[in-house]
Amino acid sequence: MQIAVVALGKIGLPLAVQFAVKGHRVVGCDVDIARVEAVNAGIEPFPGEHDLDVRLKDVVASGLLTATTDTAAAVAGSDAVVIVVPLFVDADGVPDWGWMDAATRSVAAGLKPGTLVSYETTLPVGTTRDRWAPMLQEGSGLVPGQDFQLVFSPERVLTGRVFADLRRYPKLVGGIDEASAARAVAFYEEVLDFDDRPDLDRPNGVWDLGSSEASELAKLAETTYRDVNIALANQFARYADRVGIDVRKVIEASNSQPYSHIHQPGIAVGGHCIPIYPQIYLWNDPEATVVRTARQANAAMPEYAVDLLAAAHGDLDGAGVLVLGAAYRGGVQETAFSGVYPTVEALRARGAVPYVTDPLFTDADLEALGLPPHRGEPVVAAVLQADHAEYRTLTEADLPGVRVLVDGRRTTDPALLGSIRRVVIGG
């Protein structure tokens, strides 16, 4: 097949490489000229994705993957188009359609009869049928479901392990009609491989959910579940702090029977997915009080961690405080909706002088992100925000001057911290 992948980000590029590894000719499309040039040179444009550098070099060298800024031309030469353009939302969950509208119009300009169009960007329910189908028809003169096939098939992977997750999880599809769904099932069966999953009630592979709306809701539901679950764990943790219970032991005990799957509490919920997709769900369903309350509870955790620090240390006015970790989670060089930002804000609100350090970011990187890098200034306390592996072996010598550490992820080893008082969320 000839395949166009629109947007070569941290999901789109590995997808394009995956399709090429399966022997198909792939053109990756992106508005970022520097990224297109890097891909065409076989150079990984961002670090941290396991095995991407090797696979990218191989498929570019073999001629199976090229990149371009001309989306319409790439679509015109393709049998299938996969769109992974970011969708941004504001604090109220209202989508900013700018990038996706522009990409859709570019796709429409090159669309030809018989093409499969698959959206993988997480969307509000109804978007594929009610927004993209009319826009594609208007721009191409072709009728969706008649002249071309249209589906929604959400990405379900985690950056850093995209290739493994593509094999591990069923690929969900939902078409605007049965013919679109059937075409999408055949397409994804051709470009993906799947691990055996005896734990599933049906074979791992491509699952047709019956409609684009069902597929859109499935993605929102699985991610919103995680946000709500984490919020519940955080509520348990805050209560445990008040009554002097170790919530980690409580959660371990609760999860020892098969009907409890409580997640772990922590200082923040960050990344492109978990903080955002519940907001998209709320845009569809504003009466979802459980979802809204959970989102508010998780958003309050960085300030709560700073409250714990103040309770353990005392007045923070003028105190230098080191925030460990700018990333939204350990092992990734990414700060999308990271808890580092509200943590720094909460420290400043207390009168503290915050500094940030992260093993994956240089001082210049941090400054570019609007974060104050630590260049040896005196500090008396610290807050661990990201669970980088490097922090598991932190010692007292690594934190000179620090008397209190709030470990927001339970990553550090208290036996290595010597006289530093270690405080965790949930006791």
Side-chain angles (χ1 to χ4, degrees), residues 95-170:
D96 178 352
W97 300 105
W99 285 16
M100 292 205 71
D101 281 354
T104 298
R105 292 189 181 101
S106 295
V107 169
L111 196 58
K112 68 180 191 299
T115 303
L116 168 68
V117 179
S118 176
Y119 284 86
E120 294 212 5
T121 305
T122 303
L123 301 170
V125 174
T127 304
T128 304
R129 189 185 306 275
D130 298 334
R131 189 180 189 91
W132 305 141
M135 191 175 292
L136 290 169
Q137 181 171 348
E138 179 184 3
S140 68
L142 303 176
V143 179
Q146 177 179 311
D147 299 321
F148 67 94
Q149 286 74 52
L150 178 60
V151 301
F152 178 74
S153 179
E155 56 84 8
R156 308 178 73 203
V157 297
L158 194 64
T159 55
R161 63 183 203 199
V162 171
F163 296 114
D165 284 351
L166 285 172
R167 301 179 61 96
R168 183 178 296 123
Y169 305 129

Side-chain angles (χ1 to χ4, degrees), residues 312-389:
H313 176 274
D315 185 11
L316 294 175
D317 191 33
V321 179
L322 184 62
V323 180
L324 299 166
Y328 75 84
R329 65 176 172 87
V332 298
Q333 192 182 28
E334 176 62 73
T335 60
F337 299 95
S338 171
V340 70
Y341 296 106
T343 300
V344 166
E345 289 177 7
L347 286 167
R348 285 176 174 155
R350 286 270 187 172
V353 181
Y355 304 98
V356 179
T357 183
D358 190 299
L360 301 183
F361 293 83
T362 66
D363 288 352
D365 291 335
L366 295 173
E367 286 182 325
L369 293 165
L371 298 170
H374 183 238
R375 295 189 173 97
E377 296 89 346
V379 293
V380 296
V383 179
L384 189 148
Q385 193 281 139
D387 55 339
H388 290 306

Side-chain angles (χ1 to χ4, degrees), residues 223-411:
T223 313
T224 299
Y225 161 80
R226 294 177 64 194
D227 198 44
V228 172
N229 194 317
I230 294 168
L232 181 63
N234 281 329
Q235 292 287 288
F236 290 154
R238 295 178 70 147
Y239 174 71
D241 280 336
R242 293 199 300 272
V243 298
I245 295 172
D246 185 346
V247 77
R248 180 67 65 91
K249 293 181 179 178
V250 172
I251 292 174
E252 180 184 22
S254 298
N255 290 352
S256 65
Q257 56 90 356
Y259 305 107
S260 180
H261 307 280
I262 304 170
H263 292 0
Q264 297 300 320
I267 185 173
V269 178
H272 294 280
C273 301
I274 303 180
I276 302 307
Y277 298 160
Q279 297 281 43
I280 295 178
Y281 176 79
L282 285 165
W283 191 71
N284 279 122
D285 183 11
E287 297 181 5
T289 55
V290 171
V291 176
R292 190 178 308 280
T293 301
R295 183 85 295 276
Q296 292 168 348
N298 285 337
M301 290 306 293
E303 184 172 0
Y304 177 72
V306 173
D307 288 344
L308 290 178
L309 179 65
H313 176 274
D315 185 11
L316 294 175
D317 191 33
V321 179
L322 184 62
V323 180
L324 299 166
Y328 75 84
R329 65 176 172 87
V332 298
Q333 192 182 28
E334 176 62 73
T335 60
F337 299 95
S338 171
V340 70
Y341 296 106
T343 300
V344 166
E345 289 177 7
L347 286 167
R348 285 176 174 155
R350 286 270 187 172
V353 181
Y355 304 98
V356 179
T357 183
D358 190 299
L360 301 183
F361 293 83
T362 66
D363 288 352
D365 291 335
L366 295 173
E367 286 182 325
L369 293 165
L371 298 170
H374 183 238
R375 295 189 173 97
E377 296 89 346
V379 293
V380 296
V383 179
L384 189 148
Q385 193 281 139
D387 55 339
H388 290 306
E390 291 85 345
Y391 296 153
R392 297 173 191 163
T393 55
L394 276 178
T395 67
E396 186 173 14
D398 296 320
L399 299 170
V402 171
R403 299 194 299 270
V404 179
L405 165 68
V406 172
D407 185 344
R409 307 286 185 182
R410 295 202 185 205
T411 301

